[in-house]
Amino acid sequence: MKRIYFDNAATSFPKPDTVPAAMLQYITKNGCNVNRSSFSSAYEAEDILYQTRQMICDLFHGEDCKNVVFTSGATAALNMLIKGLLKPGDHVLVSSLEHNAVMRPLCQMGKENTSPNPEDITFTRIPADSHGKLLLSTLPKLLRPNTRAIIITHASNVFGTVIPLQEIGDFCQKNNLLLLVDTAQTAGQLPIDMDRMHIDALAFAGHKSLFGPQGIGGFVLKEHMIDKITPLLAGGTGSISHTEEMPAFMPDKFEPGTLNIPGIYGLHAGLTYLKETGIEKIYEAEMALTRHFIQEALLIPGIIVYGQTESYGKSTTQSSLSDCVPQLPVVSLVVRNQDPAETAFYLEQEYGIQTRVGLHCAPIAHKTFGTYPTGTIRFSFGFHNTLEEMEICLEALRQVVRIP
């Protein structure tokens, strides 16, 4: 049975051939550390490291590649940003679609809404409608004298709903708020301009649409943010080793210890592939499959498709499809009166279709859409998926609804 992989929102697969090749070349032919060696092979690794920082900086229209910091992934990056930035008494706004990579650090540090203790860190959720559209008109009413930032995902990892970052960035600019963005789902999918969108810091994952391996990600800062964030980790950096104090300069300030250099080699290869292929080409190919899948799934009796699907009916023309509310190639659905886990199990056992089922580490998103606590089956498509795979999956769904 052929494997049909529809879990690209968790991690993209398969990777371009150049990604494992680059990692293998480093591990077997180089193996040197950076900032700690003076021999020639180490210079190659340092050059790849610099190139990768510059590619990330260019991707997000950052100010300076030295402000690109590598971590083990977006979750580590968000923890470093949130816990390093917020101080007692701060209040922040978040969306009603957040991943636990944002919500769990916030819940560790503070409480939702008001608190009798003025020293507590608090957060308020920006409400959304049942289709996941944020009610931005509520933003002015949610502000408090101590509101410091909006910390927000660029798109839902469950439903593919894209949040209007430009409008939120403009609001932050007018109200003297910082804007921190989780781009785990959108980096490599959608254009992100830190300057134009007024983004002060963002976190990225290397293993999704940047085509790198797991275990590599990071964050990007604007220059004015460097002194606002307290490093959570400390240790050797290979620089100013005569002192026991952490360096104050970038990126060493936030990069103690040995970096994941094999992962950076893989990310470099993934970013090269992304640049050579083109973000727009990849996104449009994935969305063409997504549009077809949604249109056909909506016609299957007993299937409930969640999200901004109002433009995907039978009568929708191809031209109007391109004007639909922006979304990612991510679709969540359920079979009426059937446990999503049973449906997902059937799809893999009978058709080899691999999806993700449950709450997707985003319980508040499911509460917003009314799919909590059972969750949904998530189909997330990638550049290597085909129309034939879509048709196999749609036929599988037509069969699964007939199961008593």
Side-chain angles (χ1 to χ4, degrees):
M1 184 188 304
K2 178 186 175 183
R3 177 192 188 190
I4 299 177
Y5 184 80
F6 287 157
D7 196 21
N8 288 277
T11 194
S12 58
F13 181 84
K15 306 295 183 185
D17 291 342
T18 51
V19 172
M23 298 174 71
L24 180 64
Q25 187 276 331
Y26 166 75
I27 292 172
T28 58
K29 304 298 183 182
N30 189 320
C32 298
N33 211 336
V34 295
N35 297 339
R36 292 158 173 84
S37 304
S38 58
F39 29 87
S40 58
S41 52
Y43 298 150
E44 176 202 293
E46 290 172 359
D47 186 50
I48 291 291
L49 179 62
Y50 174 81
Q51 289 181 32
T52 309
R53 287 195 207 277
Q54 188 62 60
M55 294 166 83
I56 290 290
C57 185
D58 293 344
L59 180 68
F60 297 121
H61 299 270
E63 292 177 337
D64 194 317
C65 70
K66 70 178 175 57
N67 296 339
V68 174
V69 175
F70 290 114
T71 69
S72 63
T75 297
L78 287 164
N79 270 266
M80 293 173 74
L81 291 174
I82 292 169
K83 295 179 178 179
L85 174 69
L86 298 184
K87 304 294 186 291
D90 283 346
H91 172 255
V92 298
L93 301 179
V94 296
S95 80
S96 297
L97 301 172
E98 293 304 316
H99 190 277
N100 279 342
V102 167
M103 296 316 304
R104 285 183 172 173
L106 280 177
C107 288
Q108 278 187 331
M109 299 181 73
K111 301 176 181 178
E112 187 169 3
N113 295 322
T114 59
S115 170
N117 185 354
E119 292 300 301
D120 281 342
I121 293 171
T122 55
F123 61 89
T124 302
R125 303 181 200 268
I126 305 167
D129 65 19
S130 59
H131 296 292
K133 183 178 180 181
L134 282 192
L135 304 179
L136 298 185
S137 61
T138 66
L139 282 174
K141 298 177 182 179
L142 300 178
L143 287 181
R144 300 177 186 168
N146 61 332
T147 303
R148 191 171 185 199
I150 294 180
I151 304 173
I152 202 161
T153 183
H154 192 186
S156 169
N157 69 306
V158 185
F159 303 100
T161 308
V162 177
I163 286 174
L165 267 189
Q166 186 65 63
E167 293 179 55
I168 293 174
D170 291 343
F171 178 82
C172 288
Q173 181 80 353
K174 291 176 183 177
N175 290 276
N176 197 30
L177 302 176
L178 299 175
L179 178 58
L180 280 63
V181 181
D182 173 6
T183 71
Q185 293 299 324
T186 54
Q189 288 271 333
L190 301 176
I192 300 171
D193 189 322
M194 292 184 70
D195 183 51
R196 180 173 57 84
M197 295 176 170
H198 309 299
I199 299 171
D200 298 287
L202 64 76
F204 65 91
H207 64 104
K208 300 179 190 283
S209 295
L210 300 185
F211 297 106
Q214 292 97 327
I216 190 66
F219 60 87
V220 187
L221 300 177
K222 281 190 173 172
E223 195 74 21
H224 73 92
M225 292 292 289
I226 296 171
D227 293 333
K228 291 181 172 68
I229 299 177
T230 302
L232 297 186
L233 302 175
T237 59
S239 57
I240 59 170
S241 296
H242 64 281
T243 176
E244 295 177 341
E245 301 295 325
M246 278 295 291
F249 52 83
M250 296 292 288
D252 301 44
K253 178 176 179 178
F254 299 104
E255 285 185 348
T258 300
L259 292 173
N260 177 8
I261 304 175
I264 292 171
Y265 266 72
L267 179 58
H268 180 274
L271 289 166
T272 301
Y273 174 83
L274 181 67
K275 183 176 181 180
E276 292 175 348
T277 306
I279 289 178
E280 290 184 2
K281 177 181 177 181
I282 292 172
Y283 176 74
E284 187 50 45
E286 293 174 349
M287 284 307 301
L289 296 176
T290 304
R291 292 166 188 144
H292 176 72
F293 183 84
I294 292 175
Q295 276 190 304
E296 295 300 317
L298 287 170
L299 300 177
I300 303 174
I303 295 287
I304 304 172
V305 182
Y306 294 91
Q308 297 173 336
T309 60
E310 58 269 24
S311 299
Y312 288 97
K314 180 73 172 179
S315 61
T316 307
T317 64
Q318 185 63 37
S319 60
S320 65
L321 280 176
S322 63
D323 297 327
C324 290
V325 177
Q327 71 171 78
L328 298 185
V330 176
V331 182
S332 269
L333 59 79
V334 296
V335 176
R336 198 184 305 274
N337 300 322
Q338 191 172 116
D339 188 302
E342 293 181 2
T343 307
F345 181 78
Y346 172 83
L347 292 176
E348 182 174 17
Q349 292 299 304
E350 298 298 323
Y351 292 89
I353 298 168
Q354 297 178 331
T355 60
R356 185 175 175 193
V357 66
L359 295 175
H360 311 91
C361 298
I364 189 60
H366 281 279
K367 290 178 182 178
T368 298
F369 277 82
T371 52
Y372 185 90
T374 54
T376 59
I377 308 168
R378 183 186 70 185
F379 300 79
S380 48
F381 309 121
F383 190 51
H384 297 286
N385 288 131
T386 65
L387 184 59
E388 179 186 5
E389 292 175 331
M390 296 296 116
E391 296 298 347
I392 292 172
C393 186
L394 289 164
E395 179 58 30
L397 290 173
R398 296 184 188 103
Q399 295 300 321
V400 79
V401 297
R402 300 190 180 110
I403 298 175

